[in-house]
């Protein structure tokens, strides 16, 4: 070991051989011999041999690991695998064939094989047998002995504590015989002269190879060389592809260490990164316990940036550097000296370059992300600062945003107090509670106006002025930077950032001053805005016409009033007042007169209440009065009565000297457990009742007034859960051909099975679905469910045309077209067997958009019907614009036919209109035989109604169809 280098003393590892201290845990045999054995058993032994050997050896590692040259095995695991293989193959000697016949150049060992070939001859390789052998095992020492140019003896000995076994000797025999083949010679002849298994001090293997004609040898050599280069290129492509596709730089570095472990066999590998990349020790390792890897990484980062190549000390180290930065070191380590080839430094260099490139990219990406984050934060901060209402709020929003703009650990926002002439800390980030409380009490003299104009840096506490030095010493801050906040050259505060480690983060980053100045400018703008807000706050919270508190201030005061009422256990009341007939004043006398009336009403209201009460204007002719409990015991009804009486007095507001008499209606709400909005809502409900009762009176809110609102809220809550609870279901009303009186289809009708109210008819919930937009999801369910049940009926022999209602809300989006396609495809429904029904009102909500979506529905093949025709306000010209197939005559016209010649004529006209437009006509609500007969005479195509069939559930519908003939639809 070199001076100061950490010895790889990791114990016996698996505990199988006590006393051994030179081999890393579990890294006794490399993956190369394991891979060669597995490939031989898979490719050259009888089928099933590999599975048998793995099973009997109790080997459960995945095949990817067994075929990985970079994976290592313990002595016991590898020995067990070789012994079982020898027994299954017919004897330990058969393992020599594994060494001779296993693939010579697998992609995972291409770099190492190329390096061995670079030695030039079998003799040169055998001379370096100890270094080359480390690619196979870490527990065998080997040394060569030259006999002549084509004959060498290789000696080897197991480390103490590891028993030699004949299967390994046979495998090595084959591997040594293969050595000449790397250089274009035939396989060598190997004779074992001594063996540890038979009591010798070491194993000795004599290898002799035959010289061949140079042309033949060179042809063989270059054939292997070409094979090798192809394998190396394949391996390089695989590695580069893996690195490029990795999710993170950490994954890239892990991959590099793994690949180095394959290319440069050694018990341990470490990739250590310096502070230029990470503020903390960061390292990646293969084959080493974490404590050993950490020690080696620490030593590497404290060494020479140029790297250290010391094969005598068992360590190869190369720097990870680029033109951008020096990042750290990549090292291969071995506890035994002289176990490395000098050429392996080139391999390490190649992987170090990959690591440097990955770190360059990650650094550039991190900087780009940091700049993007800073830009985004500055934009968000600009928006947030525009909304602040005080300098303290500005400081509290600014402090947590600073680290996203400037690389720092701590932030202080200091603000000057004009009243005391001192500056104090008002906002912090990155300090614990105890420190924050301590520095919150600190203050220092405010600089003279105009003195501070630039940001500056305190590199360390000793170089900082008094207040800053004290701050840094108390908080353990290594370096600080500051930028003043100035408004029109007046110092109003400062932005101060600090780091607890890595002073270079502030010192070496040339963007810090500009970033700080940008933050200070944002703060200055916010301070300026806060000052302006103070000036306009009164205007913002008061009505410009009457000078009374507006809605925002009223709601705030209601909240405060309720809080006091709860605290004191006293009542609080709100009067909601609305002038009767105010619109008539504006219409008859003009808006100017109306404004003067509102001003006069406001003045009377203020005089009619006590000093502690609040009068406000919500807008228009709506006013509120807040009444808190007082010692005089005057209740809200009394105040309301006095206000009504005062308002009945004539107002002189015009130049005609004709007094104007107006009255008002008042709603009263009381309570101390309501929110401001709830109290205002209750008063509004009571005001509505006062208007209904005849106006010019006051009505107090009663809980039963809220029943309708509460019921509506409960209905909405139940509807939101109805779909997921599967409470909706469909019934089907058959549609008949009026000429043949046979069934042609059925209309799907939505019903709701409420868990408490039972079956709810559509009128009880469809309007709420429409108003809230829930109809979109429910309508989608109806489409899919109707198609599903249509498919089920078809499977039972009933191929019906199914009509489905689509709401205006659904037609506001192209999603309805997508849903129709999906439902038809899922249940294999012929699009012509589906009819979409829409109301006349729906057509007219957005005619252009509706026409486009109906055209898209028609392109699918689905037909379109206009429902309730004749009840809306569309004209014939509009109807012609839409792609329609069916005209449904509303039940109101059908019901009126029997007693009205005009109604009969109207239905006749509608039928003829449909025929002139080429549409099928369908009458709804047929409940009497006379209606049926009249519709037949008028040649209406089809119809539905209770006379023909009531809505049926799917089971009853199927029974109904069994007794009624089903025909194809008309048209």
């Amino acid at each position: 070991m070199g001076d100061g280098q950490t010895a790889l003393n990791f114990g016996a590892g698996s505990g199988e051989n006590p006393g051994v201290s030179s081999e890393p845990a579990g890294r006794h045999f490399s993956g190369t011999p394991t891979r060669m054995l597995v490939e031989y058993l898979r490719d050259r032994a009888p089928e099933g041999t590999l599975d048998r050997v793995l099973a009997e050896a109790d080997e459960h590692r995945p095949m990817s690991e067994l075929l990985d040259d970079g994976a290592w095995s313990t002595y016991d695991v590898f020995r067990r695998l070789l012994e079982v293989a020898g027994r299954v193959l017919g004897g330990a000697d058969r393992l020599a064939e594994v060494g001779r016949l296993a693939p010579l150049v697998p992609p995972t060992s291409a770099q190492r094989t190329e390096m061995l070939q670079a030695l030039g001859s079998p003799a040169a390789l055998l001379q370096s047998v100890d270094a080359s052998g480390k690619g196979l095992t870490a527990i065998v020492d080997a040394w060569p002995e030259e006999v002549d140019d084509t004959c060498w003896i290789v000696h080897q000995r197991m480390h103490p504590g590891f028993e030699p076994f004949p299967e390994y000797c046979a495998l090595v025999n084959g591997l040594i015989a293969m050595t000449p083949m790397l250089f274009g010679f035939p396989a060598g002849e190997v004779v074992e002269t001594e063996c540890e298994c038979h009591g010798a001090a070491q194993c000795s293997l004599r290898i002799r190879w035959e010289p061949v004609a140079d042309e033949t040898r060179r042809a063989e050599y270059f054939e292997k060389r070409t094979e090798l280069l192809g394998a190396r290129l394949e391996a390089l492509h695989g590695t580069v592809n893996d690195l490029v596709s990795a999710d993170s730089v950490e994954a890239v570095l892990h991959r590099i260490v793994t690949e180095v472990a394959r290319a440069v066999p050694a018990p341990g590998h470490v990739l250590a990164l310096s502070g230029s990349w990470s503020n903390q020790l960061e390292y990646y390792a293969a084959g080493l316990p974490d404590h050993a890897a950490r020690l080696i990484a620490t030593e590497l980062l404290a060494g020479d940036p140029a790297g250290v190549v010391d094969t005598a000390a068992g360590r190869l180290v190369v720097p990870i550097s680029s033109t951008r930065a020096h990042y750290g070191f990549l090292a291969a380590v071995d506890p035994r000296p002289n176990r490395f080839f000098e050429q392996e430094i080139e391999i390490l260099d190649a992987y170090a370059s990959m690591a440097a490139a990955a770190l360059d990219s990650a650094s550039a990406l991190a900087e780009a992300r940091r700049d993007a984050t800073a830009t985004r934060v500055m934009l968000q901060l600009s928006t947030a600062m525009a909304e602040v209402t005080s300098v303290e709020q500005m400081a509290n929003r600014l402090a947590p945003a600073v680290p996203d703009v400037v690389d720092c650990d701590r932030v202080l926002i200091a603000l000057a107090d004009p009243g005391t002439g001192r500056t104090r800390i008002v906002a912090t980030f990155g300090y614990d509670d105890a420190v924050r409380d301590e520095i919150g009490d600190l203050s220092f003299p405010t600089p003279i106006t105009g003195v501070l104009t630039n940001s500056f840096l305190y590199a360390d506490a000793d170089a900082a002025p008094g207040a800053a030095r004290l701050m840094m010493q108390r908080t353990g801050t290594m370096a600080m930077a500051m930028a003043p906040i100035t408004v029109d050259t007046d110092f109003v505060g400062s932005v101060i950032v600090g780091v607890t480690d890595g002073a270079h983060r502030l010192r070496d980053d040339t963007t810090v001053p500009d970033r700080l100045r940008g933050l200070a400018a944002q703060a200055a703008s916010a301070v300026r805005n806060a000052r302006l807000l103070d000036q306009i706050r009164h205007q913002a919270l008061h009505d410009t016409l009457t000078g009374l508190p507006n809605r925002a201030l009223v709601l705030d005061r209601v909240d405060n009033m309720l809080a006091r009422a709860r605290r004191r256990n006293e009542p609080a009341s709100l009067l909601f007042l609305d002038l009767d007939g105010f619109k008539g004043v504006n219409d008859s006398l003009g808006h100017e007169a109306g404004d003067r009336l509102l001003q006069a009403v406001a003045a009377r209201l203020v005089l009619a209440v006590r000093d502690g009460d609040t009068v406000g204007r919500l807008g228009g002719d709506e006013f509120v009065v807040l009444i808190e409990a007082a010692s005089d015991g005057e209740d809200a009804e009394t105040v309301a009565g006095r206000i009504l009486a005062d308002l009945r007095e004539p107002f002189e507001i015009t130049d005609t000297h004709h007094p104007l008499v107006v009255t008002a209606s008042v709603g009263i709400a009381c309570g101390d457990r309501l929110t401001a909005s709830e109290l205002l809502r209750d008063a509004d409900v009571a005001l509505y009742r006062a208007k209904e009762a005849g106006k010019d009176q006051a009505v107090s809110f009663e809980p039963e007034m809220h029943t309708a609102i509460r019921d509506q809220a409960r209905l909405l809550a139940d509807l939101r859960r109805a779909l997921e609870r599967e409470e909706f279901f469909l019934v089907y009303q058959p549609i008949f051909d009026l000429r043949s009186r046979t069934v042609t289809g059925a209309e799907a009708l939505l019903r709701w099975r409420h868990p408490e109210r039972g079956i709810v008819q559509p009128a009880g919930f469809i309007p709420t679905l429409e108003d809230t937009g829930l109809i979109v999801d429910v309508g989608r369910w109806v489409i899919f469910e109707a198609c599903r049940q249509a498919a089920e009926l078809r499977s039972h022999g009933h191929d019906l045309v199914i009509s489905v209602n689509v709401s205006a809300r659904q037609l506001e989006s192209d999603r309805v077209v997508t849903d129709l396609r999906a439902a038809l495809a899922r249940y294999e429904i012929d699009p012509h067997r589906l009819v979409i029904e829409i109301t006349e009102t729906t057509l007219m909500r957005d005619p252009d958009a509706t026409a486009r979506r109906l055209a898209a529905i028609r392109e699918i093949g689905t037909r379109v019907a206009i429902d309730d025709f004749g009840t809306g306000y569309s004209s014939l010209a509009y109807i012609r614009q839409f792609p329609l197939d069916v005209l449904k005559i509303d039940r109101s016209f059908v019901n009126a036919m029997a007693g009205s010649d005009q109604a009969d004529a109207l239905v006749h006209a509608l039928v003829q209109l449909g025929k002139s437009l080429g549409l099928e006509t369908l009458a709804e609500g047929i409940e009497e035989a006379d209606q049926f007969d009249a519709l037949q005479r008028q040649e209406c195509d089809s119809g539905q109604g209770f006379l023909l069939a009531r809505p049926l559930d799917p089971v009853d519908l199927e029974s109904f169809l069994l007794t009624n003939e089903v025909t194809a639809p008309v048209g």
Side-chain angles (χ1 to χ4, degrees), residues 447-463:
I448 301 173
T449 298
V451 169
L452 290 178
T453 57
N454 296 313
S455 59
F456 52 89
L457 169 73
Y458 303 137
D460 54 59
D462 294 337

Side-chain angles (χ1 to χ4, degrees), residues 894-913:
V894 175
N895 290 338
M897 288 175 63
S900 171
D901 292 338
Q902 291 180 336
D904 191 76
L906 178 59
V907 171
H908 177 74
L910 291 175
V911 171
Q912 295 306 311
L913 173 63

Side-chain angles (χ1 to χ4, degrees), residues 497-667:
V497 299
V499 294
T500 56
D501 61 73
H504 67 276
R505 295 156 60 192
L506 296 180
R507 182 184 62 242
D508 299 340
D509 189 345
T510 58
T511 68
V512 167
D514 287 339
R515 291 173 185 265
L516 278 177
R517 280 193 287 269
L519 291 166
Q522 294 275 17
S525 177
V527 171
R528 188 179 292 107
N529 290 340
R531 290 178 176 179
L532 292 175
L533 283 173
D534 286 339
Q535 296 174 8
I536 66 174
R537 193 182 304 275
H538 181 82
Q539 298 175 6
L541 296 176
H542 289 77
D543 175 48
T544 56
L545 179 65
T546 64
L548 297 177
N550 62 12
R551 175 181 289 272
L553 184 54
V554 164
L555 291 176
D556 181 67
R557 291 192 178 180
V558 173
D559 281 330
N560 292 331
M561 179 184 72
L562 291 175
R564 287 190 294 271
R566 285 189 288 268
R567 212 165 38 242
R568 300 169 182 170
N569 195 26
E570 295 176 345
S573 304
L574 183 147
L575 309 184
F576 198 141
L577 181 148
D578 180 275
L579 298 182
D580 299 328
F582 178 71
K583 184 177 183 298
V585 175
N586 275 336
D587 292 343
S588 60
L589 301 178
H591 287 281
E592 184 178 350
D595 289 346
R596 287 200 296 269
L597 175 61
L598 293 175
Q599 291 171 333
V601 169
R604 285 197 189 178
L605 290 175
V606 172
L607 293 175
V609 301
R610 301 164 302 184
D611 291 340
D613 297 333
T614 295
V615 178
R617 181 186 177 213
L618 299 182
D621 61 333
E622 295 180 340
F623 296 85
V624 294
V625 178
L626 308 185
I627 303 173
E628 300 194 52
S631 58
D632 57 16
E634 192 173 53
D635 59 16
E637 287 78 7
T638 302
V639 175
R642 184 171 64 248
I643 288 174
L644 290 175
D646 289 348
L647 293 178
R648 293 188 191 106
E649 294 295 324
F651 289 92
E652 301 287 347
I653 62 170
T654 66
D655 297 333
T656 62
H657 303 292
H658 294 297
L660 180 62
V661 177
V662 297
T663 61
S665 300
V666 178

Side-chain angles (χ1 to χ4, degrees), residues 432-443:
D432 59 38
D433 293 341
V435 174
R436 187 166 55 248
D437 292 341
E438 180 181 355
I439 62 180
D441 296 331
L442 295 178
S443 67

Side-chain angles (χ1 to χ4, degrees), residues 325-340:
H326 169 67
Y327 296 105
F329 298 93
L330 179 62
V333 291
D334 194 305
R336 293 156 297 165
N338 300 315
R339 297 278 287 183
F340 289 106

